[in-house]
Amino acid sequence: MNRISFYLTRASAIIVIAIVLLVLWGWQQDNLFLKQIMPEMVAMNPMTAIAFLFSSFSFLLSQEKGYKLVVAKSLAILVIIIAVLRLLAVIDLYDLGIDRLLFTNEVQSTLYKGEANYMVAHAAAGFLLVGTSLLLLLSNRIEASQWIALPVNGLGILSVIGYIYHLSSNYLITSFTPMAFHTGICFMLFSMALLLAKSRRGFVAEITNMHAGGKAARLLLPALVIIPVVLGYYVLTGMLRERFSVVVWVSLFVCAVIFMFGVLIWATAYIINKSEIKRLQEKRIAEEQRRQLVEYKFKQSQERYYTLMNSVDGIVWEADALTMEFTFVSKQAERMLGYPVERWINEPNFWAHHIYEEDRTWAVNYCAQSTSEGKSHQFEYRMIAADGRILWLRDIVAVSVEDGKPSKLSGIMVDITEQRQLEKNLQEKELSQQKLITEITILAQEKERNELGLELHDNINQLLSVVKLYLGVAKTEKTFNEEIIERCYLHLEEAMQDIRKLSHSLVAPSLGHNGLTEALEDLVESVQEPNKLSVQLLVDKNYDALQVDKNKELMIYRIVQEQLNNILKYAKATEVTIRLQETDNHLILFIHDNGVGFDVQQQGNGIGLKNINSRVNFYSGKMQLASAPGEGCTLEVSIPN
């Protein structure tokens, strides 16, 4: 409707421009038809045409901005000035001759009943209203503009009806010349343009909107104008021909108006009722569609909910808090335990009856007690599957409370059988590891005892036996034998050194500040010279800043000591490299020798290596052994720091 109003208003303004341009051309060419249509009718004053021209261009620029809007307002003010100057002349206050500025001689010579063709007073009043309405429209005061444009439409209709009835008294005001016919047409067209210019606002919006009232008004407005005009025409014609008295014609006119208004009221009611019925039908259809959409969305939501519940890796369930009977169980129950969902819901004590016998009593009592207290809870128990398997379940239960009493239970049962099995395997592995550590410890202790016994028997005991023999000889001779005494002294000194070496290997070293580095240097020094072995010790220069635990340092020392003993006994090596460094928060111990090597698969499970491995595992470390016959041996240990 707004687009139609836009084109109608533009078309009305353009038609007015075309009419007044033709009138001005008629004055220029002295064309009677263009000026006044017929000889007995009034001609349009040239200044009236100019005022219409200014008004139309002002209206066409009303949607513009900037300087064009200023031009539109200026043209509206010029229209008001023309109207005011003419009205001042009419009341004899000041006559500038505004309506005689153009075609002066022609205007004064074109007479109507002896009067020159000046701008009539009601035309000037119409232009005053038009200019004011334009200024209000340009200032965006729409409703005020519409109310002022409404009388302009009345002036135009009055003039046109007067010409239709051929009664000059309808539009003749005192002794003034009547308004020209095309002036009335232009006022009607222009006032319609002003009324419809911004029809979304103001009282005109009640007619231009798309509601039932607006539709009825648009249909009835033409009848409101045409019917009274036609009835009035026939009544006046009858009165002039004196067919009936004035009373009869007026009565007929009133009856006709009543009848026609009755028809209009019926038509209005019909249109509004029809529109209302259509609106109600559309509303019902919309409500039905909305209801169907809500049902569809609810159904979709339910389907998504059940799909989600059935896809969860666990049995989702709901139950009554008082009876402990299930009201919903997801399909995962059938996949996990093998029982149909219907049995869970239809058999009152299904859950309790299928709990493993050893867990049944305490599990049921625990759940009932927690539910009665309104506390959410979780517990683990075993259930018997349909195929006889025993599954461990973790049941996480939420309790819904209404009016202070438990009303509903909801939860999820998660299969933790594999987790339980892993925990059991881990416990068995830890137990086995502990047994292995104990066994290795005992074997290491036995090994140390054996080595201590052999060392005492084979070395120290023999030396002491020789000393005893020499002393026995010296005692028998009863003379001072310097050679025997010297030999006893040397053997005793050798025995003392062996005892010192043996005790040094058994007693833990003192690891104070820089203790590990010094202890390793002492250990290397003790094995190099007696065994003709070249040992290179490389310790990370930043080792002191690592703040390694003393127990770990002692463990590293024992590993180096054990590996050096293995090298001395079996490797027949001449060079050994020991490197200790820190990499990625791990202590790395590297020991390499150039000895004869061995097959790791066959000889890599000795007590010494097992002892080293048990020490490394105790600190969650890793040990790697690389060796082959003729290629030496490399031991690498990594321990988290």
Side-chain angles (χ1 to χ4, degrees), residues 157-226:
I157 292 174
L158 180 64
S159 175
V160 173
I161 290 176
Y163 277 105
I164 292 174
Y165 289 171
H166 298 284
L167 296 173
S168 61
S169 60
N170 278 16
Y171 52 85
L172 180 63
I173 301 176
T174 64
S175 60
F176 289 95
T177 304
M179 186 187 296
F181 179 75
H182 28 14
T183 300
I185 295 294
C186 288
F187 273 129
M188 289 175 60
L189 290 173
F190 200 78
S191 64
M192 184 183 72
L194 289 171
L195 289 170
L196 297 178
K198 293 186 179 179
S199 58
R200 285 186 177 180
R201 297 166 59 184
F203 67 87
V204 177
E206 301 297 331
I207 299 173
T208 58
N209 63 48
M210 299 307 296
H211 301 308
K215 293 179 181 179
R218 289 193 295 275
L219 290 173
L220 297 176
L221 274 177
L224 181 64
V225 176
I226 294 171

Side-chain angles (χ1 to χ4, degrees), residues 85-118:
L85 288 175
R86 179 54 190 156
L87 288 173
L88 290 174
V90 170
I91 60 177
D92 294 329
L93 286 180
Y94 178 73
D95 187 5
L96 184 63
I98 189 68
D99 55 343
R100 301 187 299 279
L101 291 178
L102 298 176
F103 307 105
T104 305
N105 294 330
E106 289 82 354
V107 169
Q108 291 178 347
S109 62
T110 303
L111 303 177
Y112 179 80
K113 295 184 179 181
E115 296 288 338
N117 190 236
Y118 301 142

Side-chain angles (χ1 to χ4, degrees), residues 460 463 488-499:
I460 298 173
L463 289 172
C488 289
Y489 177 82
L490 291 175
H491 286 313
L492 284 174
E493 185 177 13
E494 186 178 353
M496 290 175 63
Q497 288 179 353
D498 287 344
I499 292 171

